[in-house]
Amino acid sequence: MHQRRLIAGGALAALLSLAVGTAQAQDFPPKKPVVMVVGFAAGGSADIAARIIAKKLGENIGQSVVVENKPGAGGNLAHTQVANGPSDGSVLLFGSIGPLAIAPHFMKIGYDPLKDLAPITMGVNFPNVLVVPAATGIKTLGEYVAKAKREPGKLDFASTGPGSASHLAGELLNDVAKIDTLHVPYKGGAPALQDVLGNRVTSFYAAPPTALPHIESGKLIPLATTGLTRPAYLPNVPTVAESFPGFNATNWYAFVASAKTPKPLLDRWNIELVKVLNTPEVRDNLLKHGQTAAPGTREELGQFIAAEHAKWGRIIRERKITAD
């Protein structure tokens, strides 16, 4: 009798949980404005993509979608805020490779990316591009590496923060090219780019959306891209892998939310965001800014983040990379 009561109680709890989740899913979109949190300063690559996506998303759901910039600690402040924040579906995070797959391996953070944040869909992916101010006189990756070898510890590179894709790209080049360049972290792509343009830092593993206009104007010289293949928008710029085979350090942004968010709401957000990312005008606009839309299922994103987490964890341990 006691066992039957336990079974019945468990079944009732499951039904109640399902009912609550269904009710919350029906309450869509949320009655209050939707917030899309970005872990970097306004004007950077993440911010540009988020605003393109948020505009169309708001139009589709008939609800205001506000982009909130929360820069700091390489994006980790934003990820901590969302992981420990509202779980009613009103807060989305445009998460990035650094806080989700890299920083957890060498920084103290206030969340576990694999447990405290729930995947929704991949947003965009793209390689970074190593750029230098035209005033440096450096025109090729070979010249950059040669200068770094002549002046160990003096040539510096900017990043969007400790543990970001741009940070790891620089550390990986240090390792494969046997050079010693100095890491200079910023709170996002926009302030980093300003200092590169102002000749206050020598180089930057920049995201294409922020770098392309300055490459076209001749203010910045592109030395190499960080993916395995040349992107269509920079066909004449070699990859780092062409000089150092196997080098691969691409950037990506993905939509996640608090892991406490009910599954029906997460599933609904997946449907809406995939719809936006598959819209031709959005895809074209993102590509114009050097980013490729890459929508997918929640399961695919979860597997991808876990794989990236494991990959970068291994590299960080083997190469003894630190956040300094």
Side-chain angles (χ1 to χ4, degrees):
M1 180 68 74
H2 179 65
Q3 186 176 12
R4 285 200 296 272
R5 287 199 190 100
L6 287 176
I7 294 173
L12 179 59
L15 287 171
L16 287 173
S17 176
L18 178 62
V20 170
T22 302
Q24 287 174 312
Q26 290 173 344
D27 187 19
F28 187 93
K31 292 184 173 63
K32 55 185 178 181
V34 176
V35 177
M36 187 180 292
V37 181
V38 177
F40 303 99
S45 60
D47 179 69
I48 290 171
R51 292 181 188 279
I52 291 172
I53 296 167
K55 183 177 182 296
K56 187 61 178 178
L57 181 62
E59 293 172 1
N60 285 0
I61 66 175
Q63 173 64 286
S64 174
V65 179
V66 180
V67 174
E68 177 185 296
N69 298 94
K70 184 78 174 180
N76 289 298
L77 292 182
H79 288 65
T80 301
Q81 173 183 308
V82 174
N84 298 292
S87 57
D88 59 0
S90 66
V91 178
L92 303 174
L93 172 63
F94 201 38
S96 57
I97 177 177
L100 291 174
I102 299 173
H105 299 289
F106 56 66
M107 293 178 65
K108 290 183 178 180
I109 55 178
Y111 61 94
D112 182 330
L114 302 182
K115 295 179 180 179
D116 299 328
L117 291 166
I120 299 177
T121 178
M122 177 61 77
V124 298
N125 57 39
F126 53 91
N128 282 330
V129 54
L130 174 60
V131 295
V132 295
T136 64
I138 300 172
K139 298 187 182 301
T140 68
L141 179 63
E143 293 176 1
Y144 180 88
V145 170
K147 182 177 177 63
K149 287 186 175 181
R150 287 195 307 270
E151 304 173 8
K154 292 185 178 181
L155 195 153
D156 52 15
F157 71 93
S159 83
T160 55
S164 63
S166 50
H167 175 199
L168 264 292
E171 297 290 0
L172 286 180
L173 185 61
N174 279 346
D175 185 77
V176 300
K178 308 305 179 189
I179 58 177
D180 177 19
T181 58
L182 178 65
H183 174 224
V184 183
Y186 287 81
K187 290 186 177 181
L193 188 65
Q194 287 177 354
D195 274 8
V196 175
L197 290 168
N199 293 302
R200 289 179 286 275
V201 63
T202 310
S203 57
F204 178 29
Y205 293 84
T210 56
L212 284 174
H214 305 289
I215 291 173
E216 292 169 355
S217 72
K219 293 179 181 178
L220 294 178
I221 305 300
L223 304 182
T225 55
T226 62
L228 291 174
T229 58
R230 299 185 183 191
Y233 43 82
L234 288 171
N236 298 319
V237 178
T239 65
V240 176
E242 289 174 40
S243 298
F244 301 97
F247 186 100
N248 186 27
T250 56
N251 209 337
W252 48 266
Y253 299 121
F255 286 100
V256 297
S258 165
K260 295 178 182 178
T261 306
K263 182 178 180 298
L265 279 176
L266 295 170
D267 291 341
R268 181 61 185 273
W269 274 126
N270 173 269
I271 291 171
E272 296 298 336
L273 286 164
V274 167
K275 186 189 304 181
V276 168
L277 290 164
N278 279 325
T279 303
E281 63 183 275
V282 170
R283 297 180 73 89
D284 291 345
N285 202 359
L286 288 169
L287 194 58
K288 183 175 70 176
H289 289 89
Q291 304 192 58
T292 302
T297 67
R298 293 189 57 229
E299 292 73 19
E300 288 170 341
L301 177 58
Q303 292 168 5
F304 178 82
I305 292 175
E308 286 280 276
H309 188 275
K311 166 191 168 181
W312 287 110
R314 176 181 56 78
I315 291 173
I316 289 165
R317 289 191 300 273
E318 289 179 354
R319 301 180 178 177
K320 297 180 174 59
I321 298 171
T322 69
D324 298 330

